[in-house]
Amino acid sequence: MSEMVKGVTRTGQFEWEVPVGYVPGMRVPGRFYLSDALTGTLEEGALKQLANVATLPGIRCCSLAMPDIHWGYGFPIGGVGAFDLTEGVVSPGGVGFDINCGVRLLATPLREAEILKKAEVIEDLYQAVPTGVGARSSQRLGKADLRSMLEDGASWAVRAGLGMERDLDRCEGNGRMDETDPSKVSEKALQRGLTQSGTLGAGNHFLELQVVDEIYDPAAGAAFGVEEGTVAVMIHCGSRGLGHQVCTDYIQVLEAATRRYGITLPDRQLACAPVDSPEGRAYVGAMAAAANYAWANRQVITHHAREVFGRRFGLAPEDLPLVYDVAHNIAKFEEHEVDGRRERVCVHRKGATRAFGPGAPGLPSDLAALGQPVIIPGSMGTPSFLLRGTEEAMRRTFGSTCHGAGRVMSRSGAKKQLAGRDVREALRRDGILVRAPNDASIAEEAPSVYKSSTEVVRVVHEVGLGRLVARLRPIGAIKG
Amino acid sequence: MSIEELEHTADLRFRVRAPSLADLFAEAARALMQTLYADLRGPATEIRPIDLESGDRESLLYNFLSEVLYLSEAENLVFTEAELKVTPSPPSVVGRLVGRPFDRALHAGGTEVKGISYSDLAIVEANGEFCLEVLFDV
């Protein structure tokens, strides 16, 4: 490994440990998973953030990071931390601004050759799903609707005719967090939420057309509903301005609480409060409400996508079944084995995906023996992957795995080195059509600014933090 | 006064320099608006007041930029200028933001900012000028 990761110990072929003492005040070690090929991408800032998380009160086992670890704010991206419910804390810095940013995958019966006018299909999707900075919802939401979204999550959208009951069965936690408390969401957050339902956002958010081009695990593939050679739709977005405002509000609240509870922090973005405190409970209630908004939001976008496929190809909504929907910025209450006994803990996943193994609670009954479907997006030009959760992930990482490829180049570096138009043309030559509001946003998200999704997922598969089920090749995308 | 973009893998990090705290805050707001909308040209037709207090100047900056972001997104406004008075003790900022309604034809060239991060947020004063570093989650 390079000089900048001095002080880190290799503890396995893909496992590395950041010892207590790497930064002052660490209560447990840090642990991350990388192959030799990926170690060159590791930044000192990410390691420091991993170590900072280990200083938080009540952290159990260790501060963890997945193979897509990179430098973020508060927790590193790819970070996982589980906290005791009595001694431990909850922190917006372990969830992020985009609460319940997540990914869902829809199957279709179409073959790639049947998408005859791909540019027109992409344009239809771009027109159907409000995208980019300043985009406003095509829905007219009232305050009662918004409250129902925060209360009920994806099921609000299904009740409103924007989905099917089966969709809920294929969402993590049925597309809802029970801890929701809309009364803890500020007026500012509500105002932002009213106008952005069903919008995609910008940055790395996307709606992508893909082809299932390899099945690694036929039994799981069949059970998950993906067939080799068929087209799939992947949607990546979160809780929009409502979630961003919840995070902003509660960092202010928990900053004050941190001082009140005498907690010393290495980074103010890790502002936190005991899980079992008025401030901690308030944040959890608001965060869960924002998470529910995000599930409803992805459901609305799903509806728009199904409408486009209905108009273009005569498909019914049931012809585009939901494979699964996962959150990758969230804090959840789960039972795990820690130090040889079962404990209920608050698991923070910041750019990390739940990957529950066979027999874990809350899985759809027909998938219980296989494990949870796990969706790992690549980039516009590199494959995404469908995996299944494992017992190994339950044992090692509180049932968690990576959330994507992970960036290696800054956005400013990307814009300096890459012209958006060139990236667009290179993708087109590879058969990938991209529709975005501007070329700069394409340059910022070019395939070369990310680690190899194939290598990141290989590490996940080799370590056992997920088992490969299928690979999905991109053929087109709309981006914000 | 200057706005310099620093390296950060996932998000956008800026260093801003100005001769006074008021100019420093106004320039930080400009960095935020340029990130969101890229092009800030055009006549200003809207005014929104700012009146905030906080425990220290870093949290004041966090609150101020978060408020600018909120007003811009909630009211669909692009702020082109901030006229501010910043008092160091107790830390407060009063003044106004001036700008214009968002116009997709003019302002769609930027990227969304999800929030203002406290990570590595710092304001320092040296050699008669103020300098801050701030990270925007994008």
Side-chain angles (χ1 to χ4, degrees), chain A residues 105-110 164 166-167 209 231-233 302 305-310 313-323:
Chain A
L105 184 68
L106 303 169
T108 84
L110 301 169
M164 302 172 288
R166 186 191 174 280
D167 292 341
L209 296 187
V231 172
V233 180
T302 297
R306 282 173 171 156
E307 284 190 324
V308 168
F309 277 82
F313 303 103
L315 298 178
E318 307 83 64
D319 295 327
L320 287 89
L322 182 58
V323 175

Side-chain angles (χ1 to χ4, degrees), chain A residues 43 49 70-74 77 97-98 101 126 131-136 187-189 191-192 196 201-205 240-241 244-245 247-249 251-252 255 267-269 407-413 415-416 437-438 440 444, chain B residues 5-13 35-37 52 54-60 62-64 66-67 69-77 102 104 107-121 135-138:
Chain A
E43 312 116 315
Q49 289 175 336
H70 62 280
W71 188 19
Y73 54 86
I77 314 286
F97 284 97
D98 200 359
C101 187
Y126 188 76
T131 298
V133 174
R136 288 293 186 260
E187 280 301 317
K188 283 182 173 177
Q191 191 177 346
R192 290 173 75 171
Q196 293 186 339
N204 61 0
H205 292 170
R240 313 293 298 111
H244 309 166
Q245 190 68 43
C247 181
T248 296
D249 294 339
I251 283 174
Q252 290 167 320
E255 249 264 299
D267 175 356
R268 289 174 84 169
Q269 188 70 24
R407 290 185 74 96
V408 287
M409 190 192 294
S410 68
R411 290 164 198 276
S412 57
K415 281 190 283 190
K416 275 180 207 155
N438 58 70
E444 286 179 22
Chain B
E5 193 172 328
L6 306 175
E7 276 297 303
H8 191 277
T9 318
D11 298 305
L12 289 176
R13 192 162 154 242
T35 301
L36 276 159
Y37 306 115
L52 299 165
S54 201
D56 56 60
R57 57 192 187 182
E58 280 78 13
S59 62
L60 184 68
Y62 173 90
N63 291 349
F64 168 68
S66 297
E67 183 70 6
L69 179 59
Y70 162 72
L71 289 170
S72 174
E73 195 176 302
E75 302 197 28
N76 234 14
L77 295 174
F102 173 83
R104 184 167 273 270
H107 303 130
T111 193
E112 200 165 60
V113 174
K114 295 172 185 167
I116 314 302
S117 173
Y118 258 123
S119 284
D120 301 321
L121 182 68
L135 185 148
F136 302 151
D137 178 14
V138 294

